[in-house]
Amino acid sequence: MGWKLLADCAIQRMIYGARVISLWDSELWTLLSALAVCLVLLAMVRIAINKLGLFMLSFFVFFSLAWRLLSVLYIDLAGPVFSEQLERDIGTGWAALPLAGSQGLVIAALMYSFRKKRLAALTSGPTLADILPAGRPTPSDLAHWVIGLFAVALWVELLIRGPIPIFAAMERYDYSAQYGGPLHHRLIEWGPMLAFQLGVFFAAPSSRGREFDLRFAVLFGIFILYLFVVGHRFSSFFSYSSFFILPVGAVLLANTTAAFDYAKIFRAARLPIAVVAVLILGALIYSYAIVRGFERDQLLFKLSQRIFVQQGEMWWITYERVFLRADWSPGQTFYKLFVNPLDPNRNSTMQWLMELALPLDRAHFILGKGSAYTGGWPEVLFELGGPVEGVALVALSAILFSEFMFLLTRCIVQERYATCFFLTPLLYAFSLYVVTGMVNSFIQFTFLVKLMTAIFVFVAEEKWRSSLSGPLISCESLAAGEGGKRLE
């Protein structure tokens, strides 16, 4: 009897010790996750302080990644929390740790691509103003008139086609489906890319020591006001503003020799930033409280889900499946992404992730309405490669993205307007990929056509600039060789 009692006590102590060790391990991993999140966020803050241009250039990606990272950390620490969209509890765990590592690879790739030696070479060579003959209309003048006419026609279309959503308490989806005209649909489809073009013409003059072209800032404000009137909320304002300031960041990055007055920039940007912030807040309150009619408690619940849970819930599901249950299928994932997606014209990544996370009927119903959940990157890479090969895929995608952004920066700074125009669809595809994981756009024939066209335009524009600058350089060299004066 005594031996049995001693054995029972020993077993109980072993179980208790195992629980303590397990609890200690769990707390250790949670601490490491929180530390990794802090390091990634601090890296972004340091870039914003020391390399404001790079921060503005990558703001669309940085903001999305930071929001998702904080959401996943919240799920880890506060879990289990209820997810309205998944209709289940998620958390706890240390899902933030591999996500922070993935985002850290993106930051490291950007820092390497935009190192000082490469930035110093951006401003070498003649500017477009030096090449073009004086007195002729510039590409900026032509773009101002074309985009201005489009803006006027867009507002006229809004006024003559039906009710105005902001006054009729109408959702933007309903307006687009029932009343939106062809110009409205073109703006919704191409709006962020149009905002980028506006940013290019706005910022390019400052790369040669002139003031920003405020005409394009006014046009951008007109489009932002239009989005507010037709019922758009945070996501549209965020994406449009991010793509508009991207070329400004490129110009700041190239300005490595002259001292840039950041205080002046901040003073000039205070009012526009405040106006956009008020529009975003007003649009959110109006949409949730007036259009959808949520009461106070329901409104708070919806906002908490939108801010704290929905950004990270899809990554947590991938973490649970791949890292905890070792359940991934590269072949099936490849098939659903590239061979037989539910809708090949939309983001096949989110379609597949939603099919994995939800009952098929519910996933197809939501996707059939034109909606999709938030996430996709780096979930799709770990679904393809698992916890080990997935890291290599993350690193490869980070390098490709950062090198493309450097190429785009070079074209902006050197005022290669034609190349910038044809690189814009590729920029949108790369940016969406890092935020939403959309990979099927890269295998479409239209993407290949856009890529080949951009390469052709880049080469043609380079030859055109060389043909214009060649005679000027040879004359100067001749004058210098003969000891003559430089031709002005």
Side-chain angles (χ1 to χ4, degrees), residues 297-409:
D297 292 341
Q298 190 179 17
L299 176 61
L300 292 176
F301 174 76
K302 293 290 185 180
L303 288 176
S304 66
Q305 287 283 309
R306 180 74 177 90
I307 296 172
F308 298 112
V309 179
Q310 292 177 8
Q311 294 295 319
E313 60 190 6
M314 295 304 294
W315 166 253
W316 204 93
I317 294 298
T318 293
Y319 156 77
E320 180 185 51
R321 182 170 51 251
V322 174
F323 287 86
L324 298 186
R325 300 205 308 258
D327 179 18
W328 73 91
S329 176
Q332 188 179 16
T333 300
F334 185 89
Y335 179 79
K336 294 296 293 186
L337 291 176
F338 302 112
V339 180
N340 187 30
L342 180 65
D343 183 354
N345 297 317
R346 295 176 59 198
N347 186 354
S348 62
T349 295
M350 285 313 303
Q351 296 174 32
W352 174 233
L353 293 177
M354 289 175 66
E355 288 180 344
L356 290 173
L358 301 171
L360 275 182
D361 292 342
R362 174 170 167 76
H364 291 174
F365 173 77
I366 296 172
L367 292 168
K369 292 173 61 178
S371 300
Y373 291 172
T374 302
W377 189 96
E379 290 95 321
V380 63
L381 302 178
F382 288 102
E383 295 287 353
L384 280 169
V388 178
E389 288 84 355
V391 175
L393 293 176
V394 169
L396 178 62
S397 65
I399 294 171
L400 291 175
F401 172 72
S402 63
E403 286 299 304
F404 174 82
M405 295 303 289
F406 183 83
L407 170 64
L408 187 68
T409 299

Side-chain angles (χ1 to χ4, degrees), residues 168-211:
M170 181 182 295
E171 274 283 10
R172 65 188 188 278
Y173 303 116
D174 296 331
Y175 175 79
S176 293
Q178 300 175 24
Y179 303 102
L183 297 181
H184 171 84
H185 289 292
R186 297 294 77 74
L187 178 67
I188 301 306
E189 183 179 1
W190 299 98
M193 289 175 270
L194 174 61
F196 170 73
Q197 291 298 322
L198 290 172
V200 169
F201 288 109
F202 169 73
S206 65
S207 66
R208 54 180 184 269
R210 296 172 57 188
E211 296 292 331

Side-chain angles (χ1 to χ4, degrees), residues 132 136-143 215:
L132 289 178
R136 293 188 180 181
T138 64
S140 298
D141 297 328
L142 177 62
R215 297 176 299 174

